[in-house]
Amino acid sequence: MATYQKRGKAWRAIIRRKGYPTISETFPTKGMAETWAQRQERAIAQQRAHGTSDADAMTLSALIDWYVKHVEALEPLRRSKASDLQRIKGYAIADRVAIQLKQGDYVRHIEGRRRTGAGPATVGNDLIWIRGVIKAARANLDLHASLEELADATRYLRGARVIAKPKRRTRRLQPGEEDRLLAYLDAHYRLPMGDIVRFALASTRRQEEITRLRWADLDRAKGVMALADVKHPTSKTGNDKTFRILPEAIAIVDRQPRVSEFVFPFNAKTIGSYFTAACRMLGIRDLRFHDLRHEATSRLFERGYAIHEVTQFTLHESWATLRIYTNLLPENVPEK
């Protein structure tokens, strides 16, 4: 049975059915809310009469909610993926029953996103995340949605260059930028932002990884440091690694005050915000904190380290991935 709630001048219809996700929608009048609720209940009844699965009545939005809860129970979602999924729920495509989605629905969603200014790689991610949700629901909920419709839309959009893979970043620090940046960070923040950047450049660590490093995990004698839950394309929980750490990076660690079990007990988002603000104030354009990892990796190659040696710093598992982080300057290639 549907229930109705008056919310200011609008009416909200809520449908709760055992074995089905709760769905709701808000309308200007109660009559419109009742019409919508009756249509949804008829769809549920028809679906049950045809012997299809419970998931076949779910909207894409409801499937996303299920997917987030299902995946989070196994392993936390990456922050970017979680925010992208929540954003997709705000578009019209999310209100459609998932098994009714056709090639044209996906194409219209992507083309609409491009018209509002989203880039080809950004909108391409929408299709990747939607595909992941549908695949998981097919395997776990017996959803009868077609992946071919999504695949056809993807092929068309890629051929029309509406979607594309992200461009490989090649941004490196330019002469004078590092000195200016470090001087500003040392002078303007209570956080040791200067040392955090120095450590990133000396260790190749990501900002989120830097904030998780523990004093107890540093082995000065061996020149290594342990890091839990290292980022991985398929799973990072339990992906614990040990990386090579050079004396200059250890020196930065040793001069930090021991106020916590963590060497840099700060919020990773705050570090990123401060870094971006500093670059803006200094007029340093198109430099992200993650670019420091590219810079640090390239510097290791320029110092003469081989591929298999650099991976002991960066913790990449393949050259195909590592090369994305490598932007050597010809004049800095060491002589053999």
Side-chain angles (χ1 to χ4, degrees), residues 223-256:
V224 297
M225 195 167 191
L227 178 62
D229 299 336
V230 176
K231 184 178 179 182
H232 188 274
T234 58
S235 174
K236 75 173 187 176
T237 301
N239 188 36
D240 302 340
K241 301 285 187 179
T242 299
F243 65 92
R244 180 77 166 93
I245 183 169
L246 294 174
E248 54 261 43
I250 294 177
I252 297 169
V253 168
D254 285 340
R255 65 174 176 252
Q256 305 309 309

Side-chain angles (χ1 to χ4, degrees), residues 54-128:
D54 293 345
D56 288 346
M58 294 172 68
T59 63
L60 179 59
S61 179
L63 285 178
I64 290 173
D65 287 338
W66 165 83
Y67 177 81
V68 170
K69 292 179 181 178
H70 175 74
V71 172
E72 286 283 358
L74 303 173
E75 179 177 0
L77 285 171
R78 294 198 302 272
R79 187 171 63 248
S80 58
K81 182 176 181 179
S83 61
D84 280 353
L85 286 170
Q86 289 302 313
R87 177 179 44 73
I88 291 172
K89 288 177 58 181
Y91 295 105
I93 193 172
D95 296 328
R96 296 288 306 280
V97 174
I99 64 169
Q100 297 175 0
L101 289 172
K102 303 296 182 183
Q103 177 180 349
D105 297 310
Y106 297 116
V107 170
R108 283 188 290 273
H109 168 71
I110 295 300
E111 290 180 341
R113 294 263 286 126
R114 287 301 310 275
R115 283 193 290 271
T116 62
T122 300
V123 298
N125 280 339
D126 282 13
L127 298 182
I128 293 173

Side-chain angles (χ1 to χ4, degrees), residues 29-322:
T29 67
K30 186 176 182 180
M32 294 174 68
E34 290 173 336
T35 300
W36 175 84
Q38 291 165 5
R39 186 170 65 250
Q40 297 300 317
E41 290 182 321
R42 280 197 301 271
I44 293 173
Q46 186 176 34
Q47 173 250 318
R48 294 181 67 185
H50 290 167
T52 52
S53 73
D54 293 345
D56 288 346
M58 294 172 68
T59 63
L60 179 59
S61 179
L63 285 178
I64 290 173
D65 287 338
W66 165 83
Y67 177 81
V68 170
K69 292 179 181 178
H70 175 74
V71 172
E72 286 283 358
L74 303 173
E75 179 177 0
L77 285 171
R78 294 198 302 272
R79 187 171 63 248
S80 58
K81 182 176 181 179
S83 61
D84 280 353
L85 286 170
Q86 289 302 313
R87 177 179 44 73
I88 291 172
K89 288 177 58 181
Y91 295 105
I93 193 172
D95 296 328
R96 296 288 306 280
V97 174
I99 64 169
Q100 297 175 0
L101 289 172
K102 303 296 182 183
Q103 177 180 349
D105 297 310
Y106 297 116
V107 170
R108 283 188 290 273
H109 168 71
I110 295 300
E111 290 180 341
R113 294 263 286 126
R114 287 301 310 275
R115 283 193 290 271
T116 62
T122 300
V123 298
N125 280 339
D126 282 13
L127 298 182
I128 293 173
W129 305 145
I130 292 173
R131 183 183 299 111
V133 170
I134 293 177
K135 286 179 67 176
R138 280 164 58 95
N140 291 276
L141 302 178
D142 198 24
L143 180 75
H144 294 95
S146 170
L147 285 171
E148 279 303 310
E149 297 287 344
L150 179 54
D152 288 344
T154 301
R155 284 190 287 269
Y156 164 74
L157 291 166
R158 187 175 292 122
R161 298 185 180 182
V162 180
I163 61 174
K165 293 182 178 179
K167 291 183 179 179
R168 177 185 169 188
R169 286 188 65 79
T170 59
R171 179 68 158 92
R172 292 197 59 179
L173 287 168
Q174 300 302 306
E177 287 183 341
E178 183 176 346
D179 290 340
R180 291 170 58 212
L181 191 56
L182 291 174
Y184 183 89
L185 293 173
D186 285 336
H188 289 83
Y189 294 102
R190 294 178 63 184
L191 268 64
M193 283 295 301
D195 274 355
I196 290 172
V197 168
R198 292 182 182 94
F199 185 81
L201 290 169
S203 68
T204 76
R205 299 271 63 81
R206 303 174 178 88
Q207 68 192 65
E208 187 265 342
E209 293 174 344
I210 291 173
T211 64
R212 292 192 287 109
L213 295 173
R214 302 172 186 269
W215 290 101
D217 293 332
L218 174 61
D219 188 331
R220 292 176 176 79
K222 293 183 178 180
V224 297
M225 195 167 191
L227 178 62
D229 299 336
V230 176
K231 184 178 179 182
H232 188 274
T234 58
S235 174
K236 75 173 187 176
T237 301
N239 188 36
D240 302 340
K241 301 285 187 179
T242 299
F243 65 92
R244 180 77 166 93
I245 183 169
L246 294 174
E248 54 261 43
I250 294 177
I252 297 169
V253 168
D254 285 340
R255 65 174 176 252
Q256 305 309 309
R258 290 203 181 206
V259 297
S260 166
E261 63 177 313
F262 300 102
V263 179
F264 298 99
F266 310 110
N267 185 287
K269 289 184 179 180
T270 301
I271 291 173
S273 296
Y274 285 174
F275 183 85
T276 300
C279 289
R280 188 183 303 115
M281 288 297 297
L282 294 170
I284 298 175
R285 297 186 177 183
D286 191 35
L287 183 66
R288 306 170 187 173
F289 194 98
H290 194 71
D291 292 330
L292 303 181
R293 180 165 164 84
H294 293 243
E295 180 71 30
T297 303
S298 298
R299 289 182 182 185
L300 290 172
F301 281 112
E302 290 167 354
R303 290 171 64 166
Y305 286 98
I307 293 173
H308 66 281
E309 294 171 326
V310 172
T311 60
Q312 300 305 308
F313 293 91
T314 66
L315 300 179
H316 287 107
E317 296 184 357
S318 70
W319 166 239
T321 306
L322 177 59

